[in-house]
Amino acid sequence: MVPKHIALIMDGNGRWAKSKGKPRTFGHKKGSETLKQICKDAYDLGVKYVTVYAFSTENWKRSKEEVSFLMGLLRQYLNESIKNSEENNMRVRVIGRRSDLDKDIIEAIESLEEASKEFDGLQLQIALNYGGRDEIIRGMRGVFQHLLDNDGSDQVSKHDLKLAMQELDEDKFSYYLDTVGIPDPELLIRTSGELRTSNFMLWQLAYTEFYVTDVYWPDFNRTELKKAIDAYNRRERRFGGTTK
Ligand code: IPE
Ligand code: IPE
Ligand code: MG
């Protein structure tokens, strides 16, 4: 069976470039082309949702030059995506903390999300200035905001607070996450060999199967994607005791 939702940590652009004696930026450029192709391949193979890690809340720690190159690449990718999403019937959504991004990038995200919202082919989520912990904290803020908005008076009563506390459960909380309405991924692929989540989808990956390949992201292709799906099919999925 092909997983309905694949999450992808696109890692190794820098190492790929280094192995070719080129600057890291060269790897990022090639990596963005790989993403375009992988979206087509994934949909072709029967995948419905793909969520990719493009820039983490920790990636701001990189050099100013690298961060600004990555932002430039994202700008270009977002602008090209309006046409690309139409051609491929692809819906694009961006997850992560938007407020820190440049105004023109925020506008490009909003235009792309609006222009592609009816497309029912591949559902692509781009994680941009995304951190799993940050998403959970923003989710908590959303819960508090909901409480404040729902109370007509100046103060939230203890009674309402107690009720909200008792009623809060996993389903209700997930409504406040960036991935609302999107099923959890069945498969996570990380390229370039690191065995960590690097703060990606901490909530959503609770029962996701992990697949790590040593292949650097710019070299990742349809054959590698198929290998990951084959490996997934050899797993026995367990959810704490049952296979459902
Ligand atoms: C992934 O490649 C791209 C981003 C994190 C933006 P890296 O830039 O992390 O490449 P390596 O891991 O240093 O090789
Ligand atoms: C994870 O890769 C983030 C993205 C792919 C966007 P990193 O290269 O930033 O992660 P670490 O630093 O190796 O954990
Ligand atoms: Mg890396």
Side-chain angles (χ1 to χ4, degrees):
M1 269 227 333
V2 174
K4 194 170 167 191
H5 184 178
I6 296 183
L8 259 166
I9 302 181
M10 310 185 287
D11 198 15
N13 292 349
R15 279 165 279 176
W16 180 85
K18 197 176 171 203
S19 75
K20 299 200 154 4
K22 302 266 199 230
R24 295 176 60 80
T25 48
F26 183 71
H28 294 318
K29 182 98 193 74
K30 179 73 182 5
S32 77
E33 283 155 27
T34 302
L35 172 59
K36 284 187 201 151
Q37 186 56 44
I38 283 298
C39 287
K40 289 185 193 155
D41 291 332
Y43 191 61
D44 207 36
L45 292 170
V47 179
K48 183 74 183 168
Y49 297 86
V50 169
T51 303
V52 295
Y53 208 3
F55 193 89
S56 74
T57 46
E58 288 74 35
N59 285 149
W60 299 104
K61 294 179 198 158
R62 297 189 178 197
S63 74
K64 239 173 105 187
E65 293 72 34
E66 186 169 350
V67 168
S68 97
F69 184 87
L70 284 166
M71 289 299 149
L73 209 56
L74 282 161
R75 225 177 232 114
Q76 193 188 336
Y77 182 89
L78 291 167
N79 291 325
E80 284 171 11
S81 283
I82 293 207
K83 193 163 152 267
N84 183 38
S85 67
E86 198 182 331
E87 280 166 12
N88 294 292
N89 193 28
M90 178 172 82
R91 178 176 186 180
V92 189
R93 277 173 278 193
V94 173
I95 61 171
R97 185 166 13 119
R98 252 175 232 199
S99 53
D100 294 345
L101 300 169
D102 284 350
K103 198 165 161 271
D104 71 303
I105 294 189
I106 299 175
E107 283 165 6
I109 293 170
E110 286 167 353
S111 311
L112 176 58
E113 287 186 334
E114 181 59 29
S116 69
K117 70 175 184 208
E118 306 291 345
F119 297 150
D120 61 1
L122 183 75
Q123 308 287 295
L124 173 69
Q125 287 68 239
I126 306 174
L128 189 45
N129 190 24
Y130 176 89
R133 288 181 174 181
D134 180 69
E135 183 189 30
I136 292 167
I137 297 287
R138 284 187 290 107
M140 287 285 296
R141 291 204 182 111
V143 173
F144 290 134
Q145 191 63 53
H146 177 77
L147 276 171
L148 286 173
D149 292 348
N150 262 12
D151 198 277
S153 66
D154 279 352
Q155 288 173 347
V156 180
S157 72
K158 262 196 178 162
H159 174 76
D160 286 351
L161 206 54
K162 264 194 191 148
L163 215 72
M165 267 169 67
Q166 278 158 7
E167 280 177 3
L168 188 65
D169 60 18
E170 292 178 12
D171 270 354
K172 289 202 184 78
F173 185 65
S174 63
Y175 178 81
Y176 294 90
L177 296 173
D178 295 345
T179 49
V180 54
I182 297 164
D184 288 345
E186 290 92 352
L187 174 65
L188 167 80
I189 302 173
R190 181 166 188 151
T191 57
S192 302
E194 306 307 336
L195 301 174
R196 53 179 172 264
T197 63
S198 300
N199 203 9
F200 191 41
M201 301 186 96
L202 298 182
W203 177 276
Q204 298 84 349
L205 295 178
Y207 270 97
T208 302
E209 295 294 325
F210 284 23
Y211 175 87
V212 176
T213 170
D214 284 335
V215 171
Y216 296 141
W217 173 250
D219 284 334
F220 195 78
N221 57 22
R222 189 187 177 99
T223 310
E224 296 300 329
L225 180 61
K226 272 191 179 156
K227 273 195 220 166
I229 295 173
D230 286 348
Y232 166 81
N233 279 315
R234 290 192 297 273
R235 304 271 174 92
E236 186 199 3
R237 297 207 73 201
R238 307 274 293 196
F239 298 88
T242 64
T243 50
K244 281 229 166 20

